[in-house]
Amino acid sequence: MEKKVRVLLAKPGLDGHDRGVKVIAAALRDAGMEVIYTGLRQTPQMIVDAAIQEDVDAIGVSILSGAHMTLFPAILEELKAKDATDIILFGGGIIPDDDKTELEKMGVAKIFTPGAPTEEAIKFLREAAGSRSPKE
Amino acid sequence: MVSLDKFYNGNVRALSQLISAIEYQQNGVHKTLGEIFPKAAGSLKIGITGPPGAGKSTLVNSLAHQFIDSGNKVGILAVDPTSPFTGGALLGDRVRMNEFPIDGRVYFRSMATRGSSGGLSAATDNATLALGAFGYDIILIETVGVGQVELDIIDSCDAVIVVLVPESGDSVQTMKAGLMEIGDVFVVNKCDRPGSDRMAADLRYAIDSWKRFDEGWIAPVVCTEAINGKNLDELFEKVQTFVKYSKDSGRFVSQRRQQISKKIMSLLQNRFRQEFLDQIDTGGKIESYIDEIVGGKSNPFDVGEKLYQQFRP
Ligand SMILES: Nc1nc2c(ncn2[C@@H]2O[C@H](COP(=O)(O)OP(=O)(O)O)[C@@H](O)[C@H]2O)c(=O)[nH]1
Ligand SMILES: [Mg+2]
């Protein structure tokens, strides 16, 4: 059986819009991926637990609330604590360039700015998941 | 290969990777499954089926809470359809899962059908073994909910809950036979909506007229409002009553024996298909036979017989 790219999409924090996440979810599904959507208001620990249970290649996180500089690092910490740093973390949202650079330095694989075409995310995920070495 | 050492030490990643290996039918996975099989025998498997949007996931959430509150560990498998065109899938059942403890007492895995059509994925049954052997003593399985009647579930479960809504009247008419046979407990959910009493009465009538007389269990109908938490205790209780009945009456054991028998046959079928049937279509032979048939010189029946004689073991 051909390898499926599995992606978990999450929306942490308190802002309640998930339209954007749903658009991405549909685009990834149409690109042949298995997309697990977890819903709103997920804590970093819930997100990482879900990612491990679902054995995903990547976690995609949408943050519009401005809390990206706390939430992304918290998810990275949690991945480290669960010995799961091989799971790719990417994200989207309204994130200033400086923060973006900083986050990518910390270990977030990629940040997409709003309005980036979904093809970009698809291409990124295919490549990143393809070169991912499963953790033993 | 997935390390069973980690698996037995309670490493959740090892469990998740084993389920992925099952989904990909990775080399050697049957050997692993054989090894863990005896350890999975003690867990109770409950299926939840019914049309899309009926409230299956919401009910799974409440059942899971009830079971953990009674001291169990709960593994959940939720199956959603794979698009036959793109191969992709949107797995959204997790959205209904609320406030679960994050201490490992609940495990939730979304599965895409990946081409199977009976309401479960081909890997679902084997995944229940992984969950059971890992220590989840209650396993809840949510079916796709798009097929007419999703029969796979009876081959993987000890108890089946069929979830309908007040508007399901027509589907009850059209799928009567199959539905009545697979349900051990029926739920009319969304009873906050009009028509629920009527629906429940119709359902009771249908169950009465379809019941198998050799059996002592008449499936109860429970009216719930899953989002308002209404009558969920009654549902939980009815499920437990059924399980007790099933165990006391010997039905549980005979069902398990039937499932094992089917499982052996399906393993054999798959093996023969892989090693025997798949070999037949080599070297373009089929194409040349089709040429003959289309040209009026042969027919599918003769070709079938000839190939069978030629390739039989
Ligand atoms: N009105 C009403 N809506 C409900 C009830 N239970 C679930 N729902 C809603 O029905 C929708 C589908 O529920 P879900 O559990 O995902 O259904 P599934 O597709 O069968 O898994 C959700 O929006 C639920 O909130 C209920 O008792 N009453
Ligand atoms: Mg569902």
Side-chain angles (χ1 to χ4, degrees):
Chain A
M1 194 186 288
E2 189 195 336
K3 167 87 178 89
K4 298 267 183 195
V5 177
R6 270 172 84 86
V7 186
L8 184 101
L9 294 183
K11 184 95 184 57
L14 295 174
D15 58 321
H17 317 276
D18 60 355
R19 271 244 323 278
V21 183
K22 285 181 173 161
V23 169
I24 292 283
L28 298 180
R29 175 203 55 196
D30 292 343
M33 300 181 189
E34 291 183 356
V35 183
I36 295 118
Y37 181 53
T38 61
L40 301 166
R41 296 193 182 80
Q42 302 284 303
T43 65
Q45 188 176 3
M46 285 157 81
I47 291 170
V48 170
D49 277 0
I52 287 172
Q53 292 176 6
E54 299 285 359
D55 196 23
V56 293
D57 300 291
I59 302 173
V61 170
S62 155
I63 300 174
L64 301 169
S65 61
H68 50 270
M69 292 314 277
T70 49
L71 285 170
F72 278 115
I75 295 170
L76 287 170
E77 267 314 302
E78 194 63 31
L79 282 170
K80 226 175 272 162
K82 298 269 161 66
D83 197 20
T85 49
D86 57 309
I87 298 176
I88 300 151
L89 178 62
F90 71 102
I94 306 158
I95 293 167
D97 277 351
D98 285 355
D99 290 353
K100 196 176 136 172
T101 315
E102 175 86 25
L103 288 171
E104 290 180 349
K105 224 187 297 164
M106 283 177 195
V108 179
K110 183 113 186 153
I111 302 268
F112 296 95
T113 41
T118 49
E119 287 76 29
E120 244 178 65
I122 292 166
K123 186 164 174 278
F124 161 78
L125 279 171
R126 282 204 180 119
E127 281 168 9
S131 62
R132 191 177 154 247
S133 54
K135 192 144 193 148
E136 266 312 312
Chain B
M1 193 58 241
V2 173
S3 139
L4 275 184
D5 290 343
K6 284 185 180 173
F7 180 88
Y8 287 137
N9 280 332
N11 182 307
V12 179
R13 283 209 93 181
L15 167 62
S16 298
Q17 286 164 352
L18 176 57
I19 295 177
S20 297
I22 290 168
E23 288 190 299
Y24 286 110
Q25 295 171 25
Q26 223 174 64
N27 276 341
V29 80
H30 281 181
K31 201 162 182 307
T32 309
L33 284 166
E35 200 181 313
I36 65 171
F37 183 85
K39 298 189 173 63
S43 46
L44 178 71
K45 295 177 277 187
I46 302 173
I48 295 92
T49 187
K56 296 181 295 297
S57 300
T58 315
L59 288 164
V60 164
N61 177 57
S62 84
L63 285 167
H65 277 285
Q66 287 160 320
F67 276 113
I68 53 176
D69 290 347
S70 340
N72 299 100
K73 286 182 75 185
V74 181
I76 303 167
L77 300 172
V79 188
D80 278 307
T82 294
S83 157
F85 304 107
T86 66
L90 247 186
L91 310 169
D93 296 308
R94 252 184 192 276
V95 174
R96 311 271 173 248
M97 302 303 131
N98 285 320
E99 290 165 32
F100 278 136
I102 31 188
D103 56 9
R105 279 185 290 162
V106 182
Y107 178 96
F108 189 106
R109 177 71 174 237
S110 314
M111 302 182 93
T113 51
R114 298 191 183 178
S116 295
S117 59
L120 300 181
S121 88
T124 308
D125 190 64
N126 288 340
T128 67
L129 299 176
L131 290 176
F134 194 80
Y136 291 101
D137 50 358
I138 301 289
I139 298 169
L140 303 176
I141 307 175
E142 177 182 339
T143 73
V144 175
V146 288
Q148 277 284 29
V149 176
E150 300 183 324
L151 291 174
D152 279 0
I153 194 138
I154 56 172
D155 297 332
S156 295
C157 290
D158 303 306
V160 174
I161 304 172
V162 175
V163 184
L164 298 162
V165 288
E167 297 81 7
S168 301
D170 290 344
S171 38
V172 173
Q173 284 311 314
T174 52
M175 13 189 237
K176 219 178 220 169
L179 258 189
M180 295 308 119
E181 274 155 41
I182 67 170
D184 299 310
V185 174
F186 287 81
V187 173
V188 178
N189 187 39
K190 307 199 183 182
C191 278
D192 48 305
R193 292 201 198 156
S196 59
D197 290 347
R198 175 74 204 279
M199 178 66 207
D202 285 357
L203 201 49
R204 284 197 185 98
Y205 179 79
I207 290 164
D208 248 19
S209 42
W210 278 95
K211 78 173 176 237
R212 286 164 288 175
F213 290 101
D214 55 330
E215 280 197 24
W217 180 257
I218 297 172
V221 177
V222 186
C223 295
T224 60
E225 290 175 33
I227 40 163
N228 302 321
K230 235 168 145 173
N231 261 2
L232 299 175
D233 287 345
E234 188 190 338
L235 172 61
F236 186 54
E237 188 205 302
K238 288 290 195 287
V239 170
Q240 288 176 310
T241 311
F242 170 73
V243 172
K244 185 171 186 317
Y245 157 79
S246 185
K247 287 189 170 163
D248 291 350
S249 65
R251 175 171 160 171
F252 185 93
V253 172
S254 78
Q255 225 168 249
R256 284 263 173 123
R257 292 183 64 92
Q258 268 174 32
Q259 290 169 350
I260 290 171
S261 154
K262 275 200 180 173
K263 179 119 192 142
I264 295 168
M265 288 315 286
S266 96
L267 284 166
L268 270 174
Q269 271 173 17
N270 290 342
R271 200 68 198 267
F272 275 116
R273 191 168 297 132
Q274 273 165 22
E275 290 186 3
F276 176 58
L277 273 180
D278 288 354
Q279 308 302 317
I280 292 180
D281 191 1
T282 50
K285 269 196 206 86
I286 282 291
E287 287 304 320
S288 65
Y289 285 125
I290 295 171
D291 288 344
E292 282 178 27
I293 294 168
V294 173
K297 293 194 198 70
S298 185
N299 63 70
F301 305 96
D302 287 351
V303 171
E305 179 62 24
K306 188 164 145 190
L307 286 174
Y308 171 73
Q309 293 302 342
Q310 194 178 328
F311 284 98
R312 68 180 185 172

